[in-house]
Amino acid sequence: MPRLPLVLLVLLLATPAAADDWFYENLGVPIAYADNGLAQFQFACRGGDLAMGFWVRAPHRQVAGAGAMNLALTPDPAPGSAVSATPGTSFAQDMPLIHIDGTSMIVRGPVARQWARIAQRARDTLRVAYVRKTSGGKLEVFDTNSFGAAGSSAAIGKVLEHCG
């Protein structure tokens, strides 16, 4: 029985660290980000403008060879659901890709602001993916990544304080 209080104390101390998926840094550039090891999703204040970025470390070959793609964001997707053009998913269309040390896309302006608000409202998960439409109108999805939403509201809020 003496071990039970020690086990409970360890579990209580571990819970806050596990719940904090989003981080905030202000080393000259305010940034809120989540990193799942395969990709990073972030909001940053660059030169007074809000920028949203999605970076995949080892992109699918279709993404690595593309000059531009669409980006899809789904807050709190249903478990096991696929990325689709259904209500609840937002798209940034025909955005240029940057191929350095992986592939990234940076979105600024109204879309970045809209997505910051969506990310702040997510309860559990944010799903982000590169997408494009085929000539037949079907949606091709690449490099789907999920990020926990814990801490997103506070971290993104701090960036928005600088970028309004």
Side-chain angles (χ1 to χ4, degrees), residues 3-164:
R3 287 186 170 174
L4 183 59
L6 180 60
V7 170
L8 290 174
L9 178 63
V10 169
L11 287 175
L12 286 173
L13 293 174
T15 302
D20 191 10
D21 293 332
W22 278 74
F23 300 94
Y24 173 78
E25 291 179 1
N26 189 3
L27 303 174
V29 176
I31 182 172
Y33 67 95
D35 193 315
N36 67 10
L38 301 173
Q40 188 177 97
F41 186 48
Q42 63 177 260
F43 293 91
C45 187
R46 304 214 182 260
D49 293 329
L50 182 66
M52 182 214 61
F54 177 55
W55 172 54
V56 176
R57 289 175 174 84
H60 185 278
R61 64 179 177 80
Q62 295 293 326
V63 174
M69 281 203 159
N70 302 332
L71 195 62
L73 171 70
T74 308
D76 299 317
S81 66
V83 175
S84 64
T86 58
T89 298
S90 297
F91 294 90
Q93 298 180 354
D94 296 324
M95 303 303 293
L97 295 174
I98 303 162
H99 302 289
I100 299 175
D101 228 8
T103 296
S104 60
M105 179 184 290
I106 298 173
V107 178
R108 295 179 181 269
V111 173
R113 258 184 239 313
Q114 176 188 7
W115 282 27
R117 299 293 183 213
I118 291 168
Q120 282 187 295
R121 288 190 304 264
R123 293 179 311 276
D124 299 312
T125 306
L126 290 162
R127 181 172 58 200
V128 186
Y130 292 120
V131 296
R132 69 178 177 196
K133 281 197 174 184
T134 65
S135 57
K138 291 186 178 183
L139 200 61
E140 289 183 310
V141 180
F142 306 98
D143 297 321
T144 302
N145 279 272
S146 291
F147 303 94
S152 65
S153 183
I156 295 168
K158 288 179 184 178
V159 173
L160 290 172
E161 285 175 12
H162 293 278
C163 290

